[in-house]
Amino acid sequence: MPSVADSMVALREIAAAAPVVALANAFARHEHEFALVGGPVRDAMLGRPVTDLDFTTSAQPEETSAILTEMGAKIWDVGRDFGTIAARVLGETVEITTYRAEIYRDDSRKPEVTFGDTIEGDLVRRDFTINSMALMLPEMRLVDVSGGVEDLLARKIRTPGSAESSFSDDPLRMLRAARFAAQLGFEVVPDTQEAMVRLADRLDIISAERIRDELVKLLCAHDPIPGIRLLVDTTLAERFLPELTALVATQDDHGRHKDVYEHSLTVLTQTIEMEIARREDPEAGPDIVLRLAALLHDIGKPATRRFEPSGVTFHHHDMVGAKLAKKRLRELRFDNDTVKRVARLIELHLRFFGYSDQPWTDSAVRRYVRDAGTELGQLHILTRADVTTRNRRKAERLDHAYDDIERRIDELAEAEELAAVRPELDGEQIMALLGVKPGPVIGQAYKFLLELRLDEGPVGEEVATERLLAWWATIEKDAQ
């Protein structure tokens, strides 16, 4: 953590920004308190980039809107009922929230909000001490009622008051604890962890969308593993991702197979390392589809584990895992495209293994590319990351084999435009050659030509026409 002097310099720089000065002066003219609060204060003090400007004020939402309108700011509601107004001020997007207190009732998915009167009362109700600091503006006075500075220095995550009360008021805070542990590399203090265990079932009142969003934020961390471990250890993951906690039950104390849970975490770590190393755009964000696939790629193993004379087997765990992932991600309200792509990666993640024993034909390589589709680059990373063996010779053999398949894909792509594998004849040409109208037979003919393309590569329109007519003659003969 930077020195106190450096932290104050960072805070002064934020406070000196034109939009912040304009806002602070406007609220002061209307005799309302105004403060930078939460994440921006924390990140500035840690020397991290400040990407969001969150403010709190004594002004009621309608008063905030009036002040912003007077400033000529563009305004939109992101949660007026919860006291939050968003605006664009001098080119900067900001959120301003009225001092508040909120709690969840036992059977409610939404907080009940009441507005407060003091900055101290507002800060005490926030999630963690490191997020419970405010910089009063324009006077530049730091308000820290719960020891947030001390916890930043100690790299600790704790609630301002009773953890039971905090997590009862907003159970999502338990997931936020895991996320901050991963993002900041901080430790959640023991009594807060114990409260997470006791109140895990309280998470059931939170909407799937909010849980999904926290999971995504956690996976966006450079190292999400500490947060994932915390979710599993406190049984929170069991409430929304039971397939992950089921991997713990497949741990093997007798050495008959590798620890599936620890293997999955290692694969996720290696996936993130490769993803970052292979990014063509340094500004690109984390690949959530790939990270979800890495975390969940073996969730089909518990259901398929069999103890056989030859050893432990997990036959078809790729297919079972893909189905489980689809079901779980849909329940978490992930969009259809994400669900489809994650499931495809899980379904294909075993396809490569065995290539090193018997290199594939060109036809098999083409099918691999065809089946992976737009996820081919992600499949390359996931498949490589799935190698966690401690046997150096085996690891090197698999690495060299995948080098070879990537080389062959590149060579075939250059020679055959492999990324756009399609028959030489399109639907209109097929109908003209066969003298038929649109219908199921066109799809059958297209599939025949696609198989021809995959098996033999580009054959040209003339040969494709000859083979199609020969196929059609056989179809007509069988129909007689």
Side-chain angles (χ1 to χ4, degrees):
M1 179 176 170
S3 67
V4 174
D6 289 340
S7 296
M8 291 308 297
V9 168
L11 287 171
R12 287 193 184 95
E13 289 178 353
I14 296 172
V20 179
V21 171
L23 284 165
N25 290 338
F27 278 81
R29 284 195 300 271
H30 288 270
E31 300 183 345
H32 288 298
E33 293 181 355
F34 186 76
L36 184 72
V37 70
V41 178
R42 178 200 69 222
D43 288 341
M45 297 188 74
L46 288 173
R48 290 162 53 91
V50 174
T51 56
D52 299 310
L53 290 179
D54 297 329
F55 299 96
T56 188
T57 180
S58 58
Q60 296 290 300
E62 59 275 12
E63 294 173 314
T64 295
S65 293
I67 292 171
L68 291 170
T69 299
E70 181 182 288
M71 295 176 66
K74 179 182 179 181
I75 304 171
W76 61 94
D77 289 350
V78 294
R80 181 182 290 267
D81 291 342
F82 302 106
T84 300
I85 305 295
R88 189 78 174 168
V89 179
L90 298 180
E92 191 75 49
T93 299
V94 302
E95 287 191 3
I96 304 171
T97 303
T98 301
Y99 296 161
R100 67 187 186 186
E102 63 186 34
I103 62 172
Y104 280 78
R105 298 305 178 190
D106 289 344
D107 59 349
S108 174
R109 289 180 179 270
K110 295 182 179 180
E112 296 182 6
V113 175
T114 57
F115 298 128
D117 299 319
T118 66
I119 183 65
E120 291 80 8
D122 178 89
L123 295 178
V124 167
R125 60 146 291 277
R126 291 179 177 264
D127 54 4
F128 306 108
T129 59
I130 59 174
N131 297 329
S132 299
M133 297 177 288
L135 183 68
M136 303 302 296
L137 300 170
E139 60 267 38
M140 288 292 296
R141 175 171 60 90
L142 183 67
V143 181
D144 176 16
V145 297
S146 304
V149 172
E150 289 81 358
D151 284 339
L152 281 180
L153 291 169
R155 303 177 69 83
K156 301 290 186 183
I157 296 174
R158 74 175 75 245
T159 56
S162 159
E164 282 81 358
S165 176
S166 179
F167 295 155
S168 290
D169 284 352
D170 186 352
L172 193 69
R173 290 172 174 172
M174 294 185 284
L175 300 191
R176 288 168 59 84
R179 193 235 301 178
F180 286 128
Q183 288 179 336
L184 304 176
F186 283 18
E187 177 189 358
V188 179
V189 298
D191 65 330
T192 301
Q193 287 194 43
E194 291 166 5
M196 292 166 71
V197 175
R198 290 194 295 273
L199 297 171
D201 62 348
R202 188 88 172 113
L203 194 65
D204 294 348
I205 70 169
I206 301 296
S207 69
E209 290 84 356
R210 295 187 74 202
I211 292 174
R212 173 204 63 206
D213 290 347
E214 278 301 321
L215 176 61
V216 168
K217 290 175 182 177
L218 169 58
L219 288 176
C220 282
H222 186 75
D223 179 14
I225 303 304
I228 293 171
R229 288 191 185 281
L230 184 60
L231 292 177
V232 171
D233 292 345
T234 57
T235 73
L236 283 165
E238 178 68 28
R239 315 305 302 191
F240 65 93
L241 201 58
E243 294 81 6
L244 179 61
T245 61
L247 297 181
V248 177
T250 64
Q251 290 182 6
D252 179 17
D253 297 330
H254 304 290
R256 291 170 294 184
H257 61 87
K258 73 175 65 175
D259 187 319
V260 181
Y261 173 62
E262 292 298 331
H263 165 76
S264 296
L265 297 186
T266 300
V267 170
L268 176 57
T269 297
Q270 295 183 166
T271 293
I272 292 172
E273 292 172 353
M274 293 184 198
E275 172 206 328
I276 294 172
R278 290 191 174 204
R279 279 180 193 164
E280 295 181 0
D281 179 4
E283 301 300 320
D287 187 335
I288 292 301
V289 167
L290 179 57
R291 295 185 184 199
L292 281 168
L295 179 65
L296 305 177
H297 77 284
D298 273 349
I299 59 172
K301 281 190 170 180
T304 59
R305 183 174 63 167
R306 300 290 183 272
F307 295 101
E308 300 178 355
S310 59
V312 179
T313 64
F314 301 97
H315 294 312
H316 307 301
H317 78 268
D318 46 348
M319 306 299 292
V320 172
K323 292 179 181 178
L324 290 173
K326 278 185 180 180
K327 181 176 183 294
R328 182 56 52 195
L329 295 180
R330 283 171 179 159
E331 290 184 358
L332 286 171
R333 303 295 189 270
F334 279 91
D335 63 274
N336 290 334
D337 184 61
T338 296
V339 173
K340 179 180 177 181
R341 294 170 65 200
V342 171
R344 180 185 292 130
L345 287 170
I346 294 173
E347 182 179 329
L348 295 176
H349 83 274
L350 287 183
R351 180 78 67 86
F352 161 75
F353 293 98
Y355 178 90
S356 59
D357 299 324
Q358 184 176 357
W360 293 347
T361 62
D362 286 350
S363 173
V365 174
R366 293 187 193 100
R367 292 173 188 277
Y368 187 69
V369 173
R370 187 273 309 271
D371 291 346
T374 57
E375 281 69 60
L376 180 62
Q378 294 164 308
L379 184 59
H380 286 333
I381 293 174
L382 179 58
T383 301
R384 286 183 181 274
D386 198 21
V387 178
T388 61
T389 178
R390 296 179 182 177
N391 184 320
R392 180 180 298 180
R393 182 174 297 179
K394 180 180 179 181
E396 289 178 349
R397 176 170 57 83
L398 290 169
D399 193 45
H400 291 323
Y402 212 87
D403 285 342
D404 186 62
I405 194 174
E406 287 197 73
R407 175 189 59 78
R408 290 183 61 195
I409 288 171
D410 290 341
E411 290 176 352
L412 284 171
E414 183 176 355
E416 305 177 6
E417 298 183 6
L418 196 57
V421 172
R422 58 176 61 89
E424 277 83 357
L425 305 175
D426 61 23
E428 294 291 336
Q429 291 171 304
I430 291 171
M431 287 188 288
L433 286 168
L434 303 186
V436 296
K437 296 180 179 181
V441 71
I442 305 304
Q444 296 170 16
Y446 190 90
K447 182 177 180 182
F448 166 78
L449 290 172
L450 180 59
E451 293 296 318
L452 175 65
R453 172 72 168 81
L454 291 168
D455 286 338
E456 301 182 22
V459 296
E461 285 192 22
E462 183 177 346
V463 172
T465 298
E466 292 176 358
R467 301 285 284 274
L468 176 65
L469 292 174
W471 170 83
W472 181 238
T474 302
I475 296 296
E476 287 188 312
K477 181 180 179 180
D478 291 343
Q480 292 176 356

